[in-house]
Amino acid sequence: MNDDMEETIRTVLTDNGRLPVAVETIGVADDLYQVGMSSHASISVMLGLEDAFDVEFPDRMLTREVFASIASIKAAVGELLAS
Amino acid sequence: MSTFLESLSAVADLAGEHAEDVDTHSRFPKEAVDALREARALSALVDGVPFEEVARGCEVLARACSATAMVFAMHQIQVSVLVQHRQEWPWVEDYLRDLSREQRLISSVTSEIGTGGDMGRSIAAVEPDGTFTKKAPTVSYGEYADDYLTTLRRTPDSEPSDQVTVLTLGSQTTATKVSDWDTLGMRGTCSPGFTITASFSMDQVLPVPFGQIMNETLVPVSHLLWAHVWMGIAGEAFERARKATRKSGASAGAVKTQRLSELHGDLVATRAQVAEALARWLNESSEPGRPALQTMSAVLRHNVLKTSVSQASARICMGALEVCGIAGYRNDSPYSVGRLLRDSLSASLMIANERLHEHNAALLMVVKET
């Protein structure tokens, strides 16, 4: 499940992140803003993740920090799917 | 009234005496800024003056001279960033002491030629030898600043969005003016283009990513203090319209008096919006860890404050002109609103409203509590 989740997150990042590097080269803990994700692109990523996992991020989760790495996105999506 | 606001009120009187000359000659409001130094107002946020008084001070100054108020507001925005991050940034402690002692004026170098007005991206970078060269289309009061707070890419290999902030002293910085400042309004802010080069030590780099500073401090504080400036401009324009109507007496006519009353509604609604945003900021910025300020819904709220109040200010000034009629259109009448209207028109351009609306429209798709 976890690997599937990571695959889906990487697909969303490929489709919405407008990243200057290939998503498969990004480590789970790498800072997505440092690899070039703009704040505008991060909003598209949030929308893409909500659609892909059929979840809604509550406002308290819609922060720069939560979408800063694949690992932090995984934790947030995991929390929503578990609840 | 607090001691701080009493002294700012005296500065405002002085600023008002020079406002026409500052505007006509597009010159820096030196007398008023010197008076702000004399009143120790440049270090207000370092010396413990509450933020709400600094905000109110922006409005008080703007009633008299928009340029003085905007210089004051821009400087306080930079200081608030330094004060907010003093825990994580040992170098800044000594600097804040100097700022308080010497009343140093800080300018921001955030805009950059080639980024299309997007503050969230930089081209110039911190070079490994502790230097940078940045081409900025506008640097607020660039010639008159003591020190400069500049956004840059973290390293020459970093992506445009991977930014840091560097505070360089005037003695470490060369600001070469590359254009003139001959504008429709806000003429006294003297903010032409500059090429800024500096040589500094790496502990002058604020150790927090700019993206985080932007969301949690820079954007809310900018939009709150600017909103107070614009409210001051609109309040003064309204006051002139009110006085003109009163002077006309019965000859003012029902149309004009109704227009005045409508303008009043607009002004009161704007004041309420700014007061609500300020109260919420005071609350959220004092919470441990400031979780609310990190959310996208906070970004959305601070952006919409800017777009709304900037538009309201120009609308109220325009309405005041209509109420004052020819007396408002003249530059040599006590009811003149020309300068106020011209100054208010800058509001929608500094951080372009259309860019904010584009960003807000995207945020509205994902933020739940709108």
Side-chain angles (χ1 to χ4, degrees):
Chain A
M1 172 64 193
N2 253 4
D3 285 13
D4 285 354
M5 190 194 287
E6 187 176 321
E7 266 325 294
T8 308
I9 292 169
R10 286 183 185 275
T11 307
V12 170
L13 283 170
T14 306
D15 295 344
N16 302 282
R18 281 170 266 160
L19 293 162
V21 295
V23 169
E24 49 272 27
T25 65
I26 301 173
V28 285
D30 288 354
D31 187 313
L32 294 171
Y33 301 104
Q34 283 189 8
V35 300
M37 181 169 70
S38 69
S39 61
H40 208 81
S42 75
I43 301 168
S44 305
V45 169
M46 292 168 195
L47 284 171
L49 290 166
E50 287 194 337
D51 290 344
F53 290 101
D54 194 23
V55 292
E56 283 204 344
F57 293 107
D59 284 349
R60 67 174 172 83
M61 278 189 171
L62 293 172
T63 66
R64 193 180 153 81
E65 203 65 36
V66 166
F67 297 87
S69 69
I70 292 171
S72 59
I73 292 172
K74 257 174 101 167
V77 172
E79 186 187 327
L80 287 179
L81 290 176
S83 64
Chain B
M1 201 190 282
S2 74
T3 322
F4 175 73
L5 283 174
E6 268 173 25
S7 60
L8 274 212
S9 182
V11 176
D13 290 344
L14 178 74
E17 286 171 27
H18 298 280
E20 297 303 337
D21 189 63
V22 161
D23 177 60
T24 304
H25 298 103
S26 197
R27 70 160 179 89
F28 187 68
K30 185 178 183 310
E31 303 84 352
V33 173
D34 283 348
L36 286 170
R37 286 195 167 100
E38 197 63 34
R40 302 188 46 77
L42 297 190
S43 60
L45 291 170
V46 185
D47 303 335
V49 173
F51 182 80
E52 58 269 37
E53 288 192 18
V54 170
R56 176 85 182 108
C58 291
E59 185 182 356
V60 169
L61 292 171
R63 291 290 294 254
C65 172
S66 323
T68 302
M70 190 48 82
V71 171
F72 179 72
M74 295 293 285
H75 168 78
Q76 301 299 347
I77 293 160
Q78 316 316 315
V79 177
S80 72
V81 169
L82 308 188
V83 170
Q84 182 57 43
H85 296 286
R86 65 199 298 178
Q87 310 290 347
E88 303 116 301
W89 195 13
W91 180 85
V92 90
E93 277 306 324
D94 282 344
Y95 176 79
L96 290 175
R97 208 168 306 134
D98 292 345
L99 165 67
S100 182
R101 191 172 53 229
E102 300 164 16
Q103 295 294 303
R104 302 180 71 82
L105 181 67
I106 311 173
S107 171
S108 72
V109 189
T110 44
S111 66
E112 186 167 15
I113 292 165
T115 59
D118 184 356
M119 226 173 46
R121 292 194 307 138
S122 287
I123 297 165
V126 174
E127 300 293 334
D129 61 348
T131 60
F132 72 78
T133 299
K134 179 165 178 173
K135 293 185 162 119
T138 63
V139 176
S140 329
Y141 43 90
E143 246 179 289
Y144 304 92
D146 295 307
D147 306 312
Y148 301 84
L149 195 61
T150 305
T151 48
L152 299 160
R153 283 184 299 138
R154 201 165 46 83
T155 70
D157 299 325
S158 303
E159 292 299 327
S161 60
D162 183 9
Q163 296 167 291
V164 290
T165 315
V166 183
L167 178 64
T168 57
L169 307 176
S171 57
Q172 301 171 314
T173 314
T174 309
T176 311
K177 202 168 98 162
V178 295
S179 61
D180 291 322
W181 183 252
D182 182 5
T183 51
L184 181 65
M186 285 292 180
R187 293 169 59 79
T189 61
C190 298
S191 309
F194 283 85
T195 298
I196 307 278
T197 59
S199 175
F200 53 92
S201 92
M202 286 299 176
D203 49 14
Q204 289 172 250
V205 179
L206 203 169
V208 177
F210 180 64
Q212 190 188 333
I213 296 167
M214 194 153 65
N215 283 0
E216 287 182 41
T217 311
L218 193 65
V219 168
V221 171
S222 301
H223 294 187
L224 280 164
L225 295 188
W226 291 346
H228 280 81
V229 171
W230 300 331
M231 208 165 50
I233 296 171
E236 181 60 25
F238 174 80
E239 188 55 20
R240 292 186 188 191
R242 193 182 71 82
K243 284 181 177 151
T245 309
R246 183 176 162 143
K247 181 154 193 296
S248 315
S251 69
V255 175
K256 283 201 172 173
T257 53
Q258 175 167 345
R259 187 83 188 92
L260 182 73
S261 177
E262 285 168 359
L263 277 185
H264 181 239
D266 209 351
L267 183 65
V268 168
T270 304
R271 279 189 185 138
Q273 184 180 13
V274 175
E276 192 272 343
L278 177 64
R280 195 156 175 174
W281 158 259
L282 292 173
N283 188 20
E284 292 178 346
S285 64
S286 61
E287 286 173 3
R290 315 202 305 166
L293 291 176
Q294 292 163 26
T295 63
M296 295 296 133
S297 62
V299 173
L300 177 67
R301 278 189 287 108
H302 294 129
N303 282 349
V304 79
L305 173 74
K306 195 271 165 184
T307 53
S308 304
V309 179
S310 60
Q311 285 166 336
S313 177
R315 192 169 63 232
I316 292 166
C317 289
M318 190 64 204
L321 175 65
E322 288 162 7
V323 171
C324 293
I326 192 71
Y329 194 70
R330 294 178 70 113
N331 286 328
D332 60 354
S333 110
Y335 311 108
S336 172
V337 290
R339 175 170 58 83
L340 298 163
L341 176 61
R342 287 186 288 104
D343 289 342
S344 75
L345 292 172
S346 68
S348 65
L349 306 178
M350 44 192 300
I351 312 295
N353 275 6
E354 64 256 41
R355 178 180 294 281
L356 290 177
H357 278 305
E358 185 192 350
H359 195 63
N360 282 0
L363 284 172
L364 283 170
M365 298 303 110
V366 69
V367 166
K368 309 300 179 296
E369 185 203 330
T370 55

